[in-house]
Amino acid sequence: MSKKVRVRFAPSPTGALHLGGVRTVLYNYLFAKHHGGEFILRIEDTDQSRYVPGAEQYIYDCLKWCGLEPDESPTHGGPYAPYRQSERKPMYLQYAQKLVDEGNAYYAFDTAEELEQMRNGHGQYDAKKRGSMRNSLSLSAEEVAALKEQGVPYVVRIKMPENETLYLEDMVRGELSFNTSLVDDKVLLKADGMPTYHLAVVVDDYLMKITHAFRGEEWLPSAPVHILLWKYLGWEQDMPLWAHLPLILKPDGNGKLSKRDGDRLGFPVFPLGWTDPKTNDYSAGYKEIGFLPQAFVNMLAVLGWNDGSEQEIFTLDELVQKFQIDRVHTTGAKFDFEKAKWFNTQWIMHTDVTVLAEMAVPFLKEKGVTANAEYLAKVITLIKDRCHLLTDVYTQGAFFFTTPETIDESAIKDKWNEVKQTFFKQWMEGFTALATWDVATLEQNFNDAVAAAGIKKGEVMLPLRVMLVGGKHGPGVFQIAELLGQEETVKRINNALVVL
Ligand code: GLU
């Protein structure tokens, strides 16, 4: 590749960024970084009727959480600023004008009612219909001038050719063809002078020197409009190479994964928590349910791509090294939440405990737990192989932070007797004299006490666990005792002996 690679993610801030959108970001980012290129974030906010407050900030927050920072964006700036299309409004008019002047676009004066009427007759605004509508092709030059003079609102529409075939070499799908008659004469410039997505995306990809454009496959039907605009504006040589990415599908493969599917099946479809400003409904994201951003990114990367090997766990650096756009699958990927959690489990397993400890702090705080970093790291060392989500640090390890209020007496009461009661009292006396408080010393001391009392170790191990943990779960019981410390261990055994 001779030109410097420049790719863009060009979201419209019309709601929370869905995980499919994040995957589009990711593939753009990986491709750019793989080729030593630049990743641009451009906010496509020209459809102001669909603008949702907070949606733009949400995009920045998600990209930051995922570690996919753009090189150029409305907040990072860059040589092609502004990167927010609404702020570029005056730039587009000249291109719309050129298209009209050269006969590739036209003015249309139709009212909303006239358009409605046409559509009710099952028509689309195209070569067949445009002659009977009110536009600069059907009206005389004088009529057009008069309408403009009177201030009648008008839009600019592309003049789609009739029954021509356009070809596109898609980097994922190979050669695609489109019949121009299937597409209507899209509006390019609205009555208020604001461009629509179709004009703005082409002008900006050109002006921002975008070399590759990757976007969701839902944009395929618009491709012929864009191909023609590149051609009509005389920029064909500079048209980016396209890739239309397959959808992320519902778990049963039946259509695109939606927020409703997530709500119904009990998993998030957003990276971060989002409050819908219209309904005030809050949806937790992957971050809030306890995903590591690395796991989230890894999971998305392989949802529709592989490197040709069996490898599934990749760091972002490895993905950058290995990513190839032509290895993106052509068919949609079914979303599997259990598999997503598997990625998180793997990442928890392989992430340094001090890093995990830092990540776990907000989750513990939510439960009213504050723990010192060193202690927390030790807890996580013991329980990390039982954690699938960062929230599990609390569910699996709560007893390390607070003394259990009750213990599961039913687990031991049946077989409880005086001998055991006496054993625990004596053992406690024994271990208070210990100079060191570590797993090996404790276990040895316990074994000696068991031998001296003439009872079976198996009979007192479960009671000891229940006394310390409150239930039958948890890591090695002497590891628990070591970490709780002598004072807390004595306290818990004493509390239990009172109720047993
Ligand atoms: N603004 C479009 C969107 O909201 C971008 C499509 C493209 O990347 O061309 O997804």
Side-chain angles (χ1 to χ4, degrees):
M1 264 167 244
S2 49
K3 273 198 267 177
K4 177 142 188 132
V5 165
R6 287 177 58 80
V7 302
R8 87 298 191 277
F9 177 58
S12 299
T14 55
L17 185 64
H18 177 276
L19 51 86
V22 185
R23 196 192 55 176
T24 303
V25 175
L26 179 61
Y27 288 178
N28 272 289
Y29 177 93
L30 296 176
F31 183 86
K33 299 300 152 190
H34 182 88
H35 293 286
E38 277 140 7
F39 167 54
I40 290 103
L41 173 68
R42 184 175 68 228
I43 299 293
E44 302 206 325
D45 58 349
T46 59
D47 188 352
Q48 303 210 313
S49 64
R50 295 182 63 218
Y51 184 83
V52 171
E56 184 178 326
Q57 185 57 44
Y58 184 83
I59 295 165
Y60 303 137
D61 295 344
C62 289
L63 266 53
K64 190 174 216 104
W65 183 64
C66 292
L68 305 172
E69 290 282 342
D71 299 297
E72 298 166 26
S73 79
T75 54
H76 296 76
Y80 301 94
Y83 291 90
R84 200 178 280 117
Q85 283 181 332
S86 57
E87 291 168 17
R88 301 169 67 80
K89 183 178 171 189
M91 295 187 193
Y92 305 103
L93 182 63
Q94 55 178 307
Y95 301 107
Q97 192 62 53
K98 176 180 159 79
L99 292 164
V100 173
D101 292 348
E102 295 177 3
N104 294 311
Y106 58 91
Y107 302 117
F109 299 90
D110 315 275
T111 61
E113 293 78 47
E114 286 163 343
L115 291 170
E116 173 88 15
Q117 214 168 22
M118 178 207 63
R119 287 195 198 102
N120 285 344
H122 303 293
Q124 67 170 10
Y125 211 123
D126 60 10
K128 290 209 172 61
K129 275 272 155 45
R130 68 173 82 102
S132 55
M133 302 300 287
R134 289 201 306 145
N135 54 55
S136 56
L137 300 176
S138 62
L139 304 171
S140 69
E142 292 72 35
E143 285 171 309
V144 170
L147 286 171
K148 283 181 139 186
E149 183 72 17
Q150 291 159 28
V152 174
Y154 62 90
V155 299
V156 174
R157 288 182 180 271
I158 186 171
K159 186 177 164 198
M160 288 300 287
E162 197 170 4
N163 212 16
E164 275 181 24
T165 306
L166 298 175
Y167 296 94
L168 177 71
E169 192 57 38
D170 187 285
M171 293 179 86
V172 168
R173 287 150 196 269
E175 190 181 87
L176 301 173
S177 61
F178 304 89
N179 185 308
T180 53
S181 290
L182 295 176
V183 188
D184 60 342
D185 289 355
K186 297 268 183 246
V187 173
L188 301 178
L189 202 71
K190 290 181 274 189
D192 62 359
M194 195 60 113
T196 60
Y197 158 67
H198 301 292
L199 179 62
V201 76
V202 170
V203 169
D204 285 344
D205 282 351
Y206 172 73
L207 295 178
M208 294 182 180
K209 298 196 165 43
I210 300 302
T211 57
H212 297 77
F214 308 149
R215 58 184 180 186
E217 71 174 23
E218 64 270 31
W219 294 105
L220 265 177
S222 304
V225 178
H226 303 161
I227 298 169
L228 284 175
L229 287 176
W230 279 94
K231 187 169 140 198
Y232 293 159
L233 289 166
W235 301 331
E236 220 174 348
Q237 295 307 315
D238 295 309
M239 187 167 84
L241 296 173
W242 296 91
H244 289 86
L245 307 172
L247 297 175
I248 296 181
L249 304 175
K250 299 178 198 298
D252 64 8
N254 253 330
K256 185 178 169 181
L257 178 71
S258 70
K259 172 167 178 311
R260 221 173 307 131
D261 300 317
D263 290 346
R264 181 170 56 88
L265 299 165
F267 58 77
V269 297
F270 301 142
L272 306 180
W274 166 255
T275 304
D276 184 326
K278 272 198 219 100
T279 59
N280 245 349
D281 276 352
Y282 174 78
S283 313
Y286 279 83
K287 179 181 180 201
E288 288 75 22
I289 67 159
F291 265 68
L292 273 61
Q294 295 89 337
F296 180 69
V297 164
N298 185 168
M299 173 276 287
L300 282 181
V302 299
L303 199 59
W305 170 87
N306 65 53
D307 73 340
S309 76
E310 296 291 301
Q311 184 174 346
E312 291 189 281
I313 301 298
F314 297 93
T315 63
L316 189 57
D317 283 347
E318 276 177 295
L319 289 170
V320 166
Q321 254 174 44
K322 298 193 171 170
F323 185 76
Q324 281 177 325
I325 190 77
D326 55 4
R327 290 206 61 92
V328 170
H329 309 156
T330 49
T331 52
K334 287 185 206 167
F335 185 72
D336 177 349
F337 182 59
E338 287 311 311
K339 184 73 197 226
K341 272 202 326 207
W342 176 85
F343 280 100
N344 207 49
T345 309
Q346 297 297 312
W347 271 91
I348 288 179
M349 222 132 80
H350 296 116
T351 299
D352 188 84
V353 284
T354 52
V355 176
L356 287 174
E358 220 170 286
M359 288 176 160
V361 167
F363 293 94
L364 292 171
K365 224 184 210 157
E366 247 173 54
K367 299 285 181 190
V369 172
T370 40
N372 115 355
E374 204 186 321
Y375 182 74
L376 185 50
K378 285 183 183 161
V379 170
I380 294 176
T381 307
L382 293 186
I383 60 169
K384 68 192 282 204
D385 57 352
R386 293 153 199 268
C387 295
H388 306 294
L389 298 166
L390 288 169
T391 47
D392 291 335
V393 172
Y394 181 78
T395 46
Q396 293 293 334
F399 59 89
F400 281 112
F401 309 109
T402 38
T403 312
E405 277 175 22
T406 53
I407 60 163
D408 181 6
E409 293 169 43
S410 64
I412 42 179
K413 193 113 193 181
D414 281 358
K415 294 188 183 157
W416 192 252
N417 57 28
E418 257 327 290
V419 179
K420 292 183 187 173
Q421 183 92 12
T422 313
F423 166 79
F424 276 101
K425 283 205 171 119
Q426 280 176 355
W427 180 50
M428 274 194 297
E429 274 165 30
F431 75 54
T432 41
L434 287 177
T436 40
W437 185 261
D438 61 24
V439 176
T441 315
L442 269 175
E443 186 160 14
Q444 188 54 54
N445 183 264
F446 187 79
N447 290 345
D448 294 346
V450 163
I455 53 175
K456 287 200 194 109
K457 188 177 176 186
E459 286 178 28
V460 278
M461 281 296 277
L462 178 65
L464 177 57
R465 172 178 297 283
V466 174
M467 287 170 183
L468 300 185
V469 172
K472 292 192 264 185
H473 56 284
V477 74
F478 296 107
Q479 291 173 311
I480 297 173
E482 179 194 75
L483 202 48
L484 289 178
Q486 187 173 13
E487 196 184 325
E488 183 66 18
T489 302
V490 170
K491 181 173 131 195
R492 292 191 188 189
I493 297 174
N494 270 330
N495 286 352
L497 292 181
V498 173
V499 295
L500 282 166

